Amino acid sequence: MEQFTGKVWVLGDDIDTDIIIPTEYLALKSVQEMAPYAFSPLRPKLAGQIKPGDMIVAGKNFGCGSSREQAPEIIKALGIRCVIAKSFARIFFRNAINNGLLLIENERLKDLVQEGDSITVTVNESISYPGGREKIAPLPDNLVEIIQAGGLVRAMRIRNGLEHPKKNGQK
């Protein structure tokens, strides 16, 4: 099983897509140009503090609001390895998977960690945090395949023999 460790950024409940990326920045030309403004209505400096491999731990209903696909793309562009929340909005969940962003539902973790903690995720198995370990429900194999490929389009290209799985350093 794939395993990774990273720093935690803790957010609350109902983090909607307008918080993830405010509407006024959607006119910028690329996701990379939008990324510095991620979470700015809530925490203006957060995007600049996030480092590749960090993780977000949040409350319930993460990604609610509009179905803007840029929201998970920007989280991924910031280098966030995965988002762990009590629950996710359904459209955001599928948009994230389709863009290769790992999401993990866990009811308890937000109440067990503090911002800055280091946690280790063993995909489809568990999350280890200072003082404990939480089992997690596994994602179906087809969703894991999409995430590991980096998104739905690349997963289908690999499945159809149009692209090799190890291209661009991917597994």
Side-chain angles (χ1 to χ4, degrees), residues 3-19:
Q3 187 177 71
F4 51 89
T5 300
K7 177 181 173 180
V8 168
W9 295 95
V10 178
L11 301 175
D13 293 336
D14 302 313
I15 301 299
D16 66 28
T17 55
D18 287 326
I19 289 173

Side-chain angles (χ1 to χ4, degrees), residues 116-144:
D117 282 351
S118 180
I119 64 173
T120 299
V121 172
T122 304
V123 176
N124 274 356
E125 209 172 279
S126 65
I127 304 166
S128 298
Y129 60 93
R133 185 170 171 259
E134 284 284 307
K135 287 188 176 220
I136 54 176
L139 289 170
D141 291 343
N142 64 321
L143 298 186
V144 173

Side-chain angles (χ1 to χ4, degrees), residues 31-48:
V31 170
Q32 286 70 30
E33 289 180 36
M34 294 176 210
Y37 304 101
F39 304 103
S40 58
L42 185 65
R43 294 174 60 181
K45 295 180 183 179
L46 180 60

